[in-house]
Amino acid sequence: MTRPFIPFALPEIGSEEIDAVTRAMRSGWVTTGPKTKEFEEKFRSFLGAEDLESIAVNSATAGLHLALEALGIGPQDQVIVPTLTFTATAEVVRYLGADPVFVDIDPDTLNIDVQGIRRAITPHTKAIMPVHYGGLACDMEAILEIAAEFDLRVIEDAAHALPCTRNGRMIGTWNSDATVFSFYANKTITTGEGGMVVTKNRHTADRMRIMRLHGMNRDAFDRFTSKKPGWHYQIVAPGYKYNLTDIAAAIGIEQLKKLPRFLARRQALADTYLRELRDLPLKLPYKPESSDTHAWHLFVIRLQPGIRLSRDQTIEELAALGIGTSVHYIPLHRHPYWRDRYSLVPERFPAAEQAYQSIISLPLYTAMTDADQQYVIESLRNLCRRA
Ligand SMILES: *Cc1c(COP(=O)(O)O)cnc(C)c1O
């Protein structure tokens, strides 16, 4: 009997989501409307801060773009980003004609290096975009302190960080200017495609709501449900088309209900990996010391120097055994566009370079069975024994 392939990630969609989509489609309102409002409200209350505004969007990329736009980032401005991230973090900076400035990572946490942020600041620096890599919170105290010292905006790329805490405080509720979550298919909850921006700043939120839908000062649902004749609106800026549909929001509402269970499962799987891979020549992911929550979006191992197995070989051997893995990420400074446009050389990013040579993201998803995980662990054990 051949084993079914174990993917690196898999969304968990149940009959609740399917029924919710059916209801949304039968309701007569499929685009942004009551379900989107409900999802925004429930997301906000999940994060648990009274003074938060939440804005649903059709991707985290859209949310990051809206946040930078609302905060006035434009040509000649520089925005600090880590090199070990997905290209979306940096590309939105280019959408606005500004320039990302790439910073190395901390070799232990794989999050952006805080001293590197300080060294990257110039008179053109306007913002910092930390990424909570894999679901481990960045050093928010230090980042917000630097931001205050140099009058910089902070936009958190929290695509991996639902839910995630640092020193007991939930990511999304810190005093940054905006925090952006992703509901892409492999994230901790999914709406197929989607995202959510949260901010404590009313003005930022209002601007993002307007720019989310063509720069209109009233959205379609608002006009449709208004008691007064609903046809009138004004265009106040050349906005975007970044709204989330009610079909997607209906999925999100159901996924959010399941998030506590999803998190518990991810934590249990991560704990098993941490315990059972401990004696192998692998560097295991950094775990917060305290009672803080790691979202465990990713479980990233690193092959230790000296092991006679390359990263690529390991990935190939695991694939041959029916185990899917991935690499998060090819650092941005290695991609032709970023490398050539900003003359980036690997020597500037020693920690990201070293991590890149050895990182592998192991399968981690809520529907993964204990037997699936034991098979992954056994396979890794055998590979390491032979190496
Ligand atoms: C997934 C991801 C994004 C983009 O999210 P989308 O919802 O697909 O736009 C941005 N940044 C990071 C770090 C991600 O992992």
Side-chain angles (χ1 to χ4, degrees):
M1 193 191 86
T2 52
R3 284 191 69 88
F5 184 76
I6 298 175
F8 131 78
L10 191 71
E12 185 178 329
I13 303 284
S15 56
E16 298 82 358
E17 285 83 353
I18 293 166
D19 292 346
V21 165
T22 307
R23 282 196 304 275
M25 293 184 77
R26 289 190 199 283
S27 75
W29 195 271
V30 290
T31 185
T32 309
K35 283 289 154 193
T36 303
K37 283 207 159 76
E38 182 184 338
F39 185 35
E40 287 176 338
E41 188 49 41
K42 289 190 163 150
F43 192 88
R44 201 185 62 73
S45 86
F46 177 85
L47 292 182
E50 283 301 312
D51 50 349
L52 271 186
E53 305 256 354
S54 50
I55 298 112
V57 284
N58 58 15
S59 72
T61 307
L64 291 167
H65 183 197
L66 285 179
L68 290 178
E69 197 278 339
L71 292 165
I73 305 300
Q76 267 89 63
D77 292 343
Q78 293 178 343
V79 177
I80 293 174
V81 302
T83 187
L84 194 70
T85 184
F86 186 56
T87 193
T89 317
E91 82 191 25
V92 294
V93 177
R94 294 295 303 132
Y95 290 0
L96 294 159
D99 295 307
V101 173
F102 301 87
V103 165
D104 203 3
I105 52 166
D106 177 284
D108 292 323
T109 63
L110 305 182
N111 276 330
I112 192 165
D113 172 41
V114 172
Q115 290 314 315
I117 295 176
R118 278 191 181 275
R119 284 194 298 273
I121 291 171
T122 75
H124 292 288
T125 309
K126 287 287 155 56
I128 310 169
M129 293 173 78
V131 177
H132 306 293
Y133 178 90
L136 175 72
C138 291
D139 184 345
M140 287 307 295
E141 292 89 345
I143 290 169
L144 290 171
E145 193 182 305
I146 295 172
E149 189 179 332
F150 294 93
D151 189 25
L152 307 176
R153 308 282 73 75
V154 175
I155 301 96
E156 297 170 67
D157 180 339
H160 300 180
L162 184 69
C164 162
T165 66
R166 178 176 169 89
N167 292 326
R169 188 164 173 187
M170 190 82 95
I171 292 303
T173 70
W174 288 71
N175 290 332
S176 59
D177 295 274
T179 304
V180 185
F181 297 90
S182 172
F183 312 132
Y184 179 68
N186 70 4
K187 301 291 160 61
T188 54
I189 66 169
T190 187
T191 59
E193 299 281 358
M196 188 77 73
V197 191
V198 298
T199 178
K200 292 185 178 177
N201 186 306
R202 255 313 278 284
H203 291 289
T204 310
D206 287 346
R207 176 72 180 181
M208 290 193 288
R209 283 201 185 94
I210 288 169
M211 294 306 279
R212 168 175 68 173
L213 199 71
H214 303 296
M216 270 182 208
N217 65 351
R218 293 174 74 191
D219 68 29
F221 186 66
D222 208 37
R223 286 185 283 121
F224 189 76
T225 54
S226 163
K227 298 275 187 300
K228 294 189 194 120
W231 60 272
H232 194 265
Y233 59 83
Q234 288 181 315
I235 297 299
V236 296
Y240 311 108
K241 188 69 203 286
Y242 282 168
N243 55 308
L244 189 74
T245 68
D246 263 25
I247 299 172
I251 304 173
I253 291 164
E254 298 306 318
Q255 289 269 293
L256 198 57
K257 288 184 199 161
K258 298 179 180 180
L259 184 51
R261 172 168 70 76
F262 285 176
L263 174 67
R265 183 63 189 147
R266 284 183 179 277
Q267 282 171 335
L269 290 163
D271 283 342
T272 302
Y273 274 143
L274 287 169
R275 191 175 60 245
E276 300 195 17
L277 298 175
R278 198 169 42 193
D279 55 334
L280 299 184
L282 305 171
K283 190 166 161 70
L284 299 180
Y286 184 92
K287 201 181 169 208
E289 288 290 330
S290 59
S291 55
D292 272 329
T293 303
H294 190 310
W296 293 114
H297 164 55
L298 300 175
F299 193 92
V300 179
I301 59 165
R302 282 179 272 178
L303 303 173
Q304 277 185 356
I307 187 172
R308 287 195 3 260
L309 254 182
S310 75
R311 191 267 316 276
D312 296 1
Q313 248 179 315
T314 310
I315 289 176
E316 271 170 40
E317 302 239 13
L318 288 173
L321 293 166
I323 297 170
T325 55
S326 192
V327 173
H328 295 90
Y329 293 91
I330 303 168
L332 295 183
H333 68 260
R334 281 180 164 254
H335 287 288
Y337 173 72
W338 300 116
R339 181 194 63 205
D340 298 346
R341 169 143 184 106
Y342 295 103
S343 308
L344 303 174
V345 292
E347 293 71 35
R348 265 180 54 194
F349 309 97
E353 275 295 304
Q354 211 190 19
Y356 173 58
Q357 308 300 338
S358 65
I359 46 178
I360 303 174
S361 304
L362 294 185
L364 183 66
Y365 49 93
T366 54
M368 188 179 198
T369 66
D370 291 341
D372 290 339
Q373 190 181 30
Q374 284 308 316
Y375 179 67
V376 174
I377 291 167
E378 274 316 302
S379 303
L380 269 170
R381 222 171 247 297
N382 291 336
L383 278 182
C384 288
R385 193 174 298 130
R386 276 176 26 219

